[in-house]
């Protein structure tokens, strides 16, 4: 199966480039799903909103949140 390539810095808008920079700074590496989502501004906004909400979620302990994330990735076939 062929995968969708992420948006390069030269083709990305200024908001997407700022998000790429911030993500590299925070994670210390690229986050490919963000680059793929940058193909569509509405999708990019939804991904950023979801990730921000997920990060701020306080009803679940951090350890359980991590386990949920791993299980969800496994269910949707996300490579490790």
């Amino acid at each position: 199966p062929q995968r969708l390539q992420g948006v390069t810095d030269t083709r990305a808008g200024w908001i997407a480039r700022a998000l790429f920079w911030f993500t590299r700074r925070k994670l210390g590496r690229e986050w490919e799903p963000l680059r793929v989502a940058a193909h569509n501004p509405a999708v990019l906004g939804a991904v950023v909103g979801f990730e921000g909400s997920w990060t701020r979620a306080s009803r679940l302990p951090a350890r359980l949140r991590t386990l949920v994330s791993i299980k969800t990735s496994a269910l949707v076939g996300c490579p490790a």
Side-chain angles (χ1 to χ4, degrees):
Q2 195 171 19
R3 296 182 147 219
L4 185 62
Q5 296 298 314
V7 173
T8 62
D9 284 341
T10 55
R11 296 197 51 135
W14 69 271
I15 293 174
R17 285 193 311 271
L19 289 169
F20 299 159
W21 176 84
F22 181 76
T23 302
R24 276 192 306 271
R25 184 171 174 233
K26 186 169 175 90
L27 300 178
R29 61 180 171 81
E30 291 286 329
W31 191 55
E32 190 62 24
L34 189 65
R35 287 196 173 269
V36 172
H39 281 287
N40 183 313
V43 173
L44 181 61
V47 168
V48 170
F50 174 78
E51 289 297 326
S53 297
W54 183 253
T55 302
R56 290 186 304 274
S58 60
R59 291 187 179 191
L60 291 177
R63 183 174 176 184
L64 184 55
R65 251 194 339 259
T66 301
L67 290 173
V68 168
S69 181
I70 292 168
K71 179 64 175 179
T72 302
S73 296
L75 287 173
V76 300
C78 186

